[in-house]
Amino acid sequence: SRKECLAALKCKETATPLEIIESYKKLRKRFHPDTQGTGNQAYLSMLRRRLILLKSTSTWKCWQLIK
């Protein structure tokens, strides 16, 4: 669900696409497999799937503008 996806990405339910992307980038850096001590490929993959799910179910057109 959207609520679960946002929770996994450490975002509030009222988060904008930009806030969600910023949070994802912080978490991606922290859990990247090359990051010593906190690297976790499985968790990073789960975050990516949650982000894709949010994008695919969103009606916000601005997702296309955010890289």
Side-chain angles (χ1 to χ4, degrees):
S1 74
R2 175 179 167 76
K3 191 174 184 178
E4 291 170 343
C5 291
L6 290 171
L9 292 164
K10 310 290 187 221
C11 293
K12 296 178 184 177
E13 288 187 51
T14 57
T16 66
L18 184 57
E19 291 169 330
I20 294 168
I21 293 293
E22 287 174 357
S23 181
Y24 170 75
K25 287 181 178 180
K26 287 178 187 176
L27 291 168
R28 179 181 65 189
K29 184 176 182 180
R30 180 176 177 195
F31 292 105
H32 191 277
D34 292 342
T35 304
Q36 193 170 24
T38 60
N40 186 332
Q41 180 63 43
Y43 191 73
L44 184 62
S45 295
M46 181 273 300
L47 290 174
R48 179 76 180 140
R49 286 191 305 274
R50 298 284 172 100
L51 180 65
I52 290 169
L53 181 61
L54 279 174
K55 285 182 174 183
S56 68
T57 59
S58 177
T59 58
W60 289 333
K61 302 296 182 203
C62 58
W63 280 112
Q64 299 158 353
L65 304 175
I66 301 171
K67 304 225 186 265

